[in-house]
Coordinates of all heavy atoms in Angstrom, one line a residue:
Chain A
S371 N -3.0 -40.8 62.6 CA -3.5 -41.1 63.9 C -4.0 -39.8 64.6 O -3.5 -38.7 64.3 CB -2.5 -41.8 64.8 OG -1.6 -40.9 65.2
S372 N -4.9 -40.0 65.5 CA -5.3 -38.9 66.5 C -4.2 -38.8 67.5 O -3.2 -39.6 67.4 CB -6.6 -39.2 67.1 OG -6.6 -40.5 67.8
F373 N -4.3 -37.9 68.5 CA -3.3 -37.7 69.5 C -3.6 -38.6 70.7 O -4.7 -38.8 71.1 CB -3.1 -36.3 69.9 CG -3.0 -35.4 68.7 CD1 -4.0 -34.5 68.3 CD2 -1.9 -35.5 67.9 CE1 -3.8 -33.7 67.1 CE2 -1.7 -34.8 66.6 CZ -2.7 -33.8 66.3
F374 N -2.5 -39.0 71.3 CA -2.7 -39.7 72.6 C -2.8 -38.7 73.6 O -2.0 -37.7 73.8 CB -1.3 -40.5 72.8 CG -1.5 -41.5 73.9 CD1 -2.3 -42.6 73.9 CD2 -0.7 -41.3 75.1 CE1 -2.3 -43.4 75.0 CE2 -0.8 -42.1 76.2 CZ -1.6 -43.2 76.2
P375 N -3.9 -38.8 74.5 CA -4.2 -37.8 75.4 C -3.2 -37.7 76.6 O -2.6 -38.7 77.0 CB -5.6 -38.1 75.9 CG -5.8 -39.5 75.7 CD -4.9 -39.9 74.5
A376 N -3.1 -36.5 77.2 CA -2.3 -36.4 78.4 C -3.0 -37.0 79.6 O -4.2 -37.2 79.5 CB -2.1 -34.9 78.7
L377 N -2.3 -37.3 80.7 CA -3.1 -37.9 81.8 C -4.0 -37.0 82.4 O -5.1 -37.4 82.8 CB -1.9 -38.2 82.9 CG -1.1 -39.4 82.8 CD1 0.1 -39.4 83.8 CD2 -2.0 -40.6 83.0
Q378 N -3.9 -35.7 82.2 CA -4.7 -34.7 82.8 C -6.0 -34.5 82.0 O -6.9 -33.8 82.5 CB -4.0 -33.4 83.1 CG -3.1 -33.3 84.2 CD -1.7 -34.0 83.9 OE1 -1.5 -34.5 82.8 NE2 -0.9 -34.0 85.0
G379 N -6.0 -35.1 80.8 CA -7.3 -34.9 80.0 C -7.0 -34.7 78.7 O -5.8 -34.4 78.2
E380 N -8.0 -34.9 77.8 CA -7.9 -34.9 76.4 C -8.0 -33.6 75.7 O -8.9 -33.1 75.1 CB -8.9 -35.8 75.8 CG -8.8 -36.2 74.4 CD -9.6 -37.4 73.9 OE1 -10.7 -37.5 74.6 OE2 -9.2 -38.0 73.0
N381 N -6.9 -32.7 75.8 CA -6.9 -31.5 75.1 C -5.6 -31.3 74.3 O -4.9 -30.2 74.4 CB -7.1 -30.3 76.1 CG -6.2 -30.4 77.2 OD1 -5.3 -31.2 77.3 ND2 -6.2 -29.3 78.0
G382 N -5.3 -32.2 73.6 CA -4.0 -32.1 72.7 C -3.0 -33.2 73.1 O -3.3 -34.2 73.5
K383 N -1.8 -32.9 72.8 CA -0.6 -33.8 73.0 C -0.1 -33.6 74.4 O -0.3 -32.7 75.1 CB 0.5 -33.5 71.9 CG 0.0 -34.0 70.5 CD 1.3 -34.3 69.7 CE 2.1 -33.1 69.3 NZ 3.1 -33.4 68.3
M384 N 0.6 -34.7 74.8 CA 1.4 -34.5 76.1 C 2.5 -33.6 76.0 O 3.0 -33.2 75.0 CB 1.9 -35.9 76.5 CG 0.6 -36.8 76.9 SD 1.1 -38.5 77.3 CE 1.5 -39.0 75.6
S385 N 2.9 -33.1 77.1 CA 3.9 -32.0 77.2 C 5.2 -32.6 77.8 O 5.2 -33.0 78.9 CB 3.5 -30.8 78.0 OG 4.5 -30.1 78.5
A386 N 6.3 -32.5 77.1 CA 7.5 -32.9 77.5 C 8.0 -32.2 78.7 O 8.8 -32.7 79.6 CB 8.6 -32.8 76.5
S387 N 7.5 -30.9 78.9 CA 8.0 -30.0 80.0 C 7.4 -30.5 81.3 O 7.8 -30.1 82.4 CB 7.7 -28.6 79.7 OG 6.3 -28.4 79.5
D388 N 6.3 -31.3 81.3 CA 5.6 -31.7 82.5 C 5.6 -33.2 82.6 O 4.8 -33.9 82.0 CB 4.1 -31.2 82.5 CG 3.4 -31.7 83.8 OD1 4.0 -32.3 84.7 OD2 2.2 -31.5 83.8
P389 N 6.6 -33.8 83.3 CA 6.8 -35.3 83.3 C 5.6 -36.0 83.9 O 5.4 -37.1 83.6 CB 8.0 -35.5 84.2 CG 8.2 -34.1 85.0 CD 7.6 -33.1 84.2
N390 N 4.7 -35.3 84.7 CA 3.5 -35.9 85.2 C 2.4 -35.9 84.2 O 1.3 -36.3 84.5 CB 3.1 -35.2 86.5 CG 4.1 -35.6 87.6 OD1 4.6 -36.7 87.7 ND2 4.4 -34.5 88.5
S391 N 2.6 -35.4 83.0 CA 1.4 -35.3 82.0 C 1.5 -36.6 81.2 O 0.7 -36.9 80.4 CB 1.6 -34.2 81.1 OG 2.7 -34.3 80.2

Side-chain angles (χ1 to χ4, degrees):
Chain A
S371 75
S372 57
F373 307 114
F374 188 69
L377 278 171
Q378 283 75 3
E380 192 167 28
N381 56 356
K383 290 206 287 190
M384 286 173 291
S385 159
S387 57
D388 176 7
N390 288 323
S391 69

